[in-house]
Amino acid sequence: MNYKEIFEQISEELRDFDEIGQVATYIPALAKANPNKFGMYLVTEEGHEYDHGDIHENFSIQSISKVLSLVYAFKLVGTDLWRRVGVEPSGSPFNSLVQLEYEQGIPRNPLINAGAIVVCDILVSQLDNPYQEFIEFVRKLSGNPSIDYCEETAQSEKECGFKNNAHINLMKSYGNIENDVDEVLDLYFHLCSIEMSCKDLAQTFMFLARSGKNPLNNERILTAQETKRINAIMLLCGFYDEAGEFAFKVGLPGKSGVGGGIVAIYPDQYSIAVWSPGLNSKGNSSKGIKALELFTTITQSNVFGPTPLFDELEYD
Amino acid sequence: MNYKEIFEQISEELRDFDEIGQVATYIPALAKANPNKFGMYLVTEEGHEYDHGDIHENFSIQSISKVLSLVYAFKLVGTDLWRRVGVEPSGSPFNSLVQLEYEQGIPRNPLINAGAIVVCDILVSQLDNPYQEFIEFVRKLSGNPSIDYCEETAQSEKECGFKNNAHINLMKSYGNIENDVDEVLDLYFHLCSIEMSCKDLAQTFMFLARSGKNPLNNERILTAQETKRINAIMLLCGFYDEAGEFAFKVGLPGKSGVGGGIVAIYPDQYSIAVWSPGLNSKGNSSKGIKALELFTTITQSNVFGPTPLFDELEYD
Amino acid sequence: MNYKEIFEQISEELRDFDEIGQVATYIPALAKANPNKFGMYLVTEEGHEYDHGDIHENFSIQSISKVLSLVYAFKLVGTDLWRRVGVEPSGSPFNSLVQLEYEQGIPRNPLINAGAIVVCDILVSQLDNPYQEFIEFVRKLSGNPSIDYCEETAQSEKECGFKNNAHINLMKSYGNIENDVDEVLDLYFHLCSIEMSCKDLAQTFMFLARSGKNPLNNERILTAQETKRINAIMLLCGFYDEAGEFAFKVGLPGKSGVGGGIVAIYPDQYSIAVWSPGLNSKGNSSKGIKALELFTTITQSNVFGPTPLFDELEYD
Amino acid sequence: MNYKEIFEQISEELRDFDEIGQVATYIPALAKANPNKFGMYLVTEEGHEYDHGDIHENFSIQSISKVLSLVYAFKLVGTDLWRRVGVEPSGSPFNSLVQLEYEQGIPRNPLINAGAIVVCDILVSQLDNPYQEFIEFVRKLSGNPSIDYCEETAQSEKECGFKNNAHINLMKSYGNIENDVDEVLDLYFHLCSIEMSCKDLAQTFMFLARSGKNPLNNERILTAQETKRINAIMLLCGFYDEAGEFAFKVGLPGKSGVGGGIVAIYPDQYSIAVWSPGLNSKGNSSKGIKALELFTTITQSNVFGPTPLFDELEYD
């Protein structure tokens, strides 16, 4: 079986998938998403691409952007980053504020909201024009110069962003925020608002499967060592309170967003993105996780099992 | 370079390693460990074995046994296990009791104390003679019929086991313990007391690198699917509050114990055990982690990076 | 109006009281209580007594005994007591265990379970025969030599006392329990099981209204200073998570138990006990609180308002 | 002994008091306070006044204003207030944010910061000009038309008010803040900045000793019933994590502020204010508490003991 056939099989198996969950409703931009949308896009090390469904339509990548801002800040400040944010999973979400208090304003990891806010604070400190420089970075990774923030989404996020406001103020009280809180949050809300297609998303994350090199121009984004760090963080912290479940079912480093997108990579082999706006009770795309589970089961590409013979999966 | 040369290089690099940490002191059996002991043992898929240092000396495997009891209970009750214990990392240890309260007596995962106690409760319910049957299970995996509990250690653990007593009573109050608390704790403390050598330990865990098959007789212990589940849990939950750090530095599923032992596996390739009794501030063997970090860096066998060419590492 | 007329008026007003709540059901001895029972008993400084309803029937005083064990331990060890238990209200009950962890095994006050367990530990350390000596103490205060523990209740408490077991083990892990946990808990469960009538209860607490002197024989139980300490603790900590509500509605130092009893005192004037087994959502007697609210409103005897003219309330 | 002699005795006893503590340093306006300042002022029901020391000097009343804003909001919205803020003590301060999360944005009581912020939100909703109307209210109670906010202090509070910002945003996320968070916080910080003398403070709180009537003009501020509610809240919640200690040592409803002021009342008898800027480890005036302890011990006016013969304490 090759990737093309595998996509067909998954599509077939998911035809009657009915645990599609609920789209996020806390902001209008997400609430209006069509829950029946579904796309899947695979980019391989060899540069082959495989797709299925709604792969050109843009959606809000939301928390997925936390990986990209983390990578950018990591490039800028290196391991100094870890003095301001941890690398450990965060446990259940109920105590995010108490954990911040207990750990003196140091977020557990850069993929929870508090951690991503610290990352934004670093970008604000380090960059002359963080908005412009960050989106250029994303455009270069994706190869798509039209990728952009969605102002409407950013504005909506801001209007209901009281909990993020509580987090940043608490961190500021501990001295872990350097800049004005409103300025940092504005960047944070913009990062959440970035829109991409499945195709863009798979392409954008491919450098994490390539030991840190952008596949489009072989530019080194991160060292091989740094790339492993990011991948480890994604596997341990990328799926809210469902990391263990995802690690078992899918078994790849990845990241999800409440817009229904998920991206995952297999080192040295591929990057895969799925999109389906319905979320399960943990806030991850319900159909998206199922599709990835089928994909890694069929291809046997789960980092907790034997390495598959990827060559045989490529379309000739 | 082959494994033999790699072990020599690691030994060389660690000659002056001086962040050796402190041996555990809460019970006499651990406190009397010699901090200068150091052993490393590797078993490969092909059945080759490589060793270095104090590899025949027995030490207390402590929490490492939590993986073995988990595997045994999983064999016995299958996925019913997950109704009584979660699979998610637990966050910082400060709130273990409040988390149990918040989650109504369901421990976050089977490798924290509370979770391992639930696993013991299952063994007590399911087995006629849990002590005998469990140690026989370990002996068969290791191929060493002389492996046993250490009564002195078990007794010491019991005498200072008030926090475990608090955990089991809290879980009992939520109905998640079926048997008498003293009976369950007695098994739990015995499991912590098992003693093995590095050689035994590497051998015992090799089935997790072989998709669930005991290398000694090809008996299936777990299905390939179940094995991935265990490996995922080890990677996410096997190193107390240092899982993220270990995932990055070493990048393998594994488990440590406060006796200074660590075991880790690379799917389809090898099982490796190290032993050095000095612990870092997180309770993991300080030199042991360094040795494994060097090993996976040299062999490039980190699941978050490219798959290495293992064939070239074998000694001919 | 005098006390006799006041009792008649309260009885009249409560005739149709229908928020009678639920009797406690976690042990059989409490579950079988008749929710329609109601008694009220008042003892004055002058030694007059006034009663209404079921005042001779015994009921389980439960947590009310925590005040008596506190007084006894305070007599024995004086202010050393405050090195092992605090005097501050405990906030909401959800985090009793985390609070014990945060405060290193020191309970917030002696009227929460953890605090009362520490008090029992002191009694076990200080007395040759704590069971006998304690019940003698209660008998002397009450003037009733037939007051006793209820073995059936004590046994039932023990059989479902896992949460108390969790608390004592956690405190033991911090070194705040000197004796064997089972021995201390056995005393604790026996204290909860003491049975009295309303008459006994009002009489027993009268010394707290008399600056520490037993009204029956003028024996000094506590100094005037120590008595204020106990009264302050009762007012701040005597009603679980309803202290503020009780302080406002009733405005007297007091203590309730899940058996439906409540006792309260007005310094220098009176001791009053009520009993009605139905509990409100906070675990306090629903009708009992209402009766006391009416009583202190009619008599204007609330420590947060003007001192009433008690002389006029006495019976002819 | 009469009040005049009592003040002299207290003054004598405190001559060598050396546990004077530290002045608050988080804002310049407080940090520059002279730790040797000390004043005491008593106003009686009969309208007599007794003073000692620095009683005309203004200081920042800080949290003491929380009682006044509570009274004002209670006048405006009545018992509806209790749907938005509780009346129970808050336990230890370490978990203020987690408690807010656990209780869905409802603060435990109106004298902790979060509760006082909700009270400010009510004032902003209910009043056309909350700044002006509130300060007029305070001026009328005190009889001093020159009492005012300190803009410098308010500004300093704002500049370091990140934790309050965290609290209000968290409450806003639960829907318990109606107005713009910056607008509410601005009022809150201004309330903290009010400056008074000991004389003003004792006078201002005298209505709480008079069942709710302003002594200056007999205007009813609160009903007798409402006044008891406020007094009960002060006793249970007025001294941060030292309520139990204060209730025992002083035994009166009262409130302290980090500016070193404390005010307390005895129902139907008197209002007393002390000021000494050095704070103990719980944030209450160290010498102030000692002075009040001496005062209520000498006058025997502790609500947990017998009612004293106040007539004999009045001056000639």
Side-chain angles (χ1 to χ4, degrees), chain B residues 80-86 99-101 103-110 112-123 125 167-181 184, chain C residues 162:
Chain B
D80 278 357
L81 183 57
W82 313 123
R83 291 189 289 115
R84 295 186 55 194
V85 59
Q99 210 157 37
L100 262 187
E101 277 196 301
E103 302 185 293
Q104 305 275 305
I106 306 294
R108 294 280 295 172
N109 67 64
I112 55 173
N113 289 11
I117 288 170
V118 167
V119 166
C120 284
D121 184 54
I122 291 170
L123 296 183
S125 291
H167 280 93
I168 193 172
N169 274 288
L170 183 58
M171 292 191 287
K172 182 99 180 172
S173 78
Y174 283 110
N176 199 20
I177 294 294
E178 292 170 356
N179 301 285
D180 177 73
V181 300
V184 175
Chain C
F162 303 112

Side-chain angles (χ1 to χ4, degrees), chain B residues 113-114 117 157 161-169 185 188-189:
Chain B
N113 289 11
I117 288 170
E157 296 281 355
F162 303 111
K163 223 155 190 176
N164 288 316
N165 222 310
H167 280 93
I168 193 172
N169 274 288
L185 280 185
Y188 175 79
F189 293 135

Side-chain angles (χ1 to χ4, degrees), chain C residues 33-278:
Chain C
N34 177 345
N36 296 316
K37 292 289 176 181
F38 178 73
M40 246 180 141
Y41 205 93
L42 179 82
V43 178
T44 73
E45 170 65 18
E46 283 75 18
H48 296 152
E49 308 189 14
Y50 304 83
D51 65 70
H52 173 81
D54 306 307
I55 51 126
H56 296 298
E57 200 163 327
N58 276 356
F59 56 89
S60 190
I61 67 168
Q62 293 286 322
S63 290
I64 297 174
S65 69
K66 290 179 169 71
V67 178
L68 301 172
S69 49
L70 165 64
V71 167
Y72 203 21
F74 198 17
K75 275 167 63 74
L76 291 167
V77 301
T79 56
D80 278 358
L81 183 57
W82 314 124
R83 292 190 288 114
R84 296 186 53 194
V85 58
V87 296
E88 299 300 329
S90 63
S92 75
F94 91 96
N95 52 9
S96 55
L97 280 163
V98 74
Q99 209 157 39
L100 261 187
E101 277 196 302
Y102 183 76
E103 302 185 293
Q104 304 273 307
I106 306 295
R108 294 279 295 170
N109 67 63
L111 301 186
I112 55 173
N113 289 11
I117 289 169
V118 167
V119 166
C120 283
D121 185 54
I122 290 169
L123 296 183
V124 170
S125 292
Q126 296 282 327
L127 300 175
D128 291 332
N129 187 337
Y131 296 85
Q132 193 57 32
E133 296 177 54
F134 183 74
I135 203 73
E136 288 298 341
F137 172 66
V138 178
R139 287 168 185 164
K140 264 195 284 186
L141 286 173
S142 66
N144 179 351
S146 72
I147 285 173
D148 214 340
Y149 305 113
C150 169
E151 284 302 327
E152 183 203 337
T153 299
Q155 188 57 33
S156 296
E157 296 282 355
K158 187 176 184 171
E159 281 161 17
C160 69
F162 303 112
K163 222 155 189 175
N164 287 316
N165 223 310
H167 279 93
I168 194 172
N169 275 289
L170 183 58
M171 292 190 289
K172 181 101 181 170
S173 78
Y174 283 109
N176 199 19
I177 294 293
E178 293 171 355
N179 301 284
D180 177 73
V181 299
D182 289 334
E183 192 178 349
V184 175
L185 280 185
D186 193 70
L187 180 61
Y188 175 79
F189 292 136
H190 273 83
L191 262 49
C192 293
S193 81
I194 292 175
E195 296 189 345
M196 286 192 192
S197 67
C198 270
K199 177 176 177 7
D200 297 329
L201 193 53
Q203 191 66 57
T204 300
F205 274 70
M206 188 61 200
F207 76 103
L208 291 173
R210 299 185 76 247
S211 297
K213 282 196 198 163
N214 184 341
L216 302 175
N217 55 13
N218 267 322
E219 185 195 355
R220 181 161 290 291
I221 309 299
L222 297 176
T223 66
Q225 190 71 352
E226 289 168 340
T227 305
K228 283 188 272 188
R229 174 61 99 177
I230 302 297
N231 289 344
I233 290 173
M234 286 202 293
L235 192 125
L236 271 76
C237 319
F239 292 85
Y240 312 109
D241 208 26
E242 203 177 358
E245 208 58 56
F246 189 83
F248 164 59
K249 286 185 180 160
V250 178
L252 300 180
K255 183 74 196 86
S256 74
V258 292
I262 306 180
V263 63
I265 62 103
Y266 194 104
D268 229 23
Q269 297 297 337
Y270 64 73
S271 167
I272 185 167
V274 291
W275 173 51
S276 168

Side-chain angles (χ1 to χ4, degrees), chain A residues 87-95 98-99 102-103 108 208 211 225-233 235-236 240-249 253 265-269 282 293 296-297 300 302-307 310, chain B residues 87-95 98-99 102-103 108 208 211 225-233 235-236 240-249 253 265-269 282 293 296-297 300 302-307 310:
Chain A
V87 296
E88 300 300 329
S90 62
S92 74
F94 91 95
N95 53 9
V98 74
Q99 209 156 38
Y102 183 76
E103 301 184 295
R108 294 280 295 172
L208 290 173
S211 297
Q225 190 71 352
E226 290 167 339
T227 305
K228 283 189 271 188
R229 174 62 100 178
I230 303 296
N231 289 345
I233 291 172
L235 192 124
L236 271 75
Y240 312 108
D241 207 25
E242 204 177 359
E245 208 59 55
F246 189 83
F248 164 59
K249 287 184 178 161
I265 63 102
Y266 194 105
D268 230 22
Q269 297 296 338
K282 301 292 179 73
E293 182 183 355
T296 58
T297 301
Q300 309 230 341
N302 176 311
V303 298
F304 299 108
T307 308
F310 285 107
Chain B
V87 296
E88 300 300 330
S90 63
S92 73
F94 92 96
N95 53 9
V98 74
Q99 210 157 37
Y102 184 76
E103 302 185 293
R108 294 280 295 172
L208 290 173
S211 297
Q225 190 71 351
E226 289 168 340
T227 305
K228 282 188 271 189
R229 173 61 100 178
I230 302 297
N231 289 344
I233 290 173
L235 191 125
L236 272 75
Y240 312 110
D241 208 26
E242 202 177 0
E245 208 60 54
F246 189 83
F248 164 59
K249 287 185 179 161
I265 62 102
Y266 195 104
D268 229 22
Q269 297 296 338
K282 301 292 178 74
E293 182 182 355
T296 57
T297 301
Q300 308 231 340
N302 176 312
V303 300
F304 299 109
T307 308
F310 285 106

Side-chain angles (χ1 to χ4, degrees), chain A residues 80-86 100 103-108 114-115 117-122 125 167-179 181 184, chain D residues 162:
Chain A
D80 278 356
L81 183 57
W82 314 124
R83 292 190 289 114
R84 294 186 54 193
V85 60
L100 261 188
E103 301 184 295
Q104 304 275 307
I106 306 295
R108 294 280 295 172
I117 288 169
V118 167
V119 166
C120 283
D121 184 54
I122 291 169
S125 291
H167 280 92
I168 194 172
N169 274 289
L170 183 58
M171 292 190 288
K172 181 100 181 171
S173 78
Y174 283 109
N176 198 20
I177 294 293
E178 292 170 357
N179 300 285
V181 301
V184 175
Chain D
F162 303 112

Side-chain angles (χ1 to χ4, degrees), chain B residues 231-293:
Chain B
N231 289 344
I233 290 173
M234 285 201 295
L235 191 125
L236 272 75
C237 318
F239 292 85
Y240 312 110
D241 208 26
E242 202 177 0
E245 208 60 54
F246 189 83
F248 164 59
K249 287 185 179 161
V250 179
L252 299 180
K255 184 73 196 86
S256 74
V258 292
I262 306 180
V263 63
I265 62 102
Y266 195 104
D268 229 22
Q269 297 296 338
Y270 64 73
S271 167
I272 185 167
V274 292
W275 173 52
S276 168
L279 307 180
N280 65 19
S281 64
K282 301 292 178 74
N284 297 309
S285 171
S286 187
K287 194 170 179 180
I289 285 185
K290 188 66 191 171
L292 287 174
E293 182 182 355

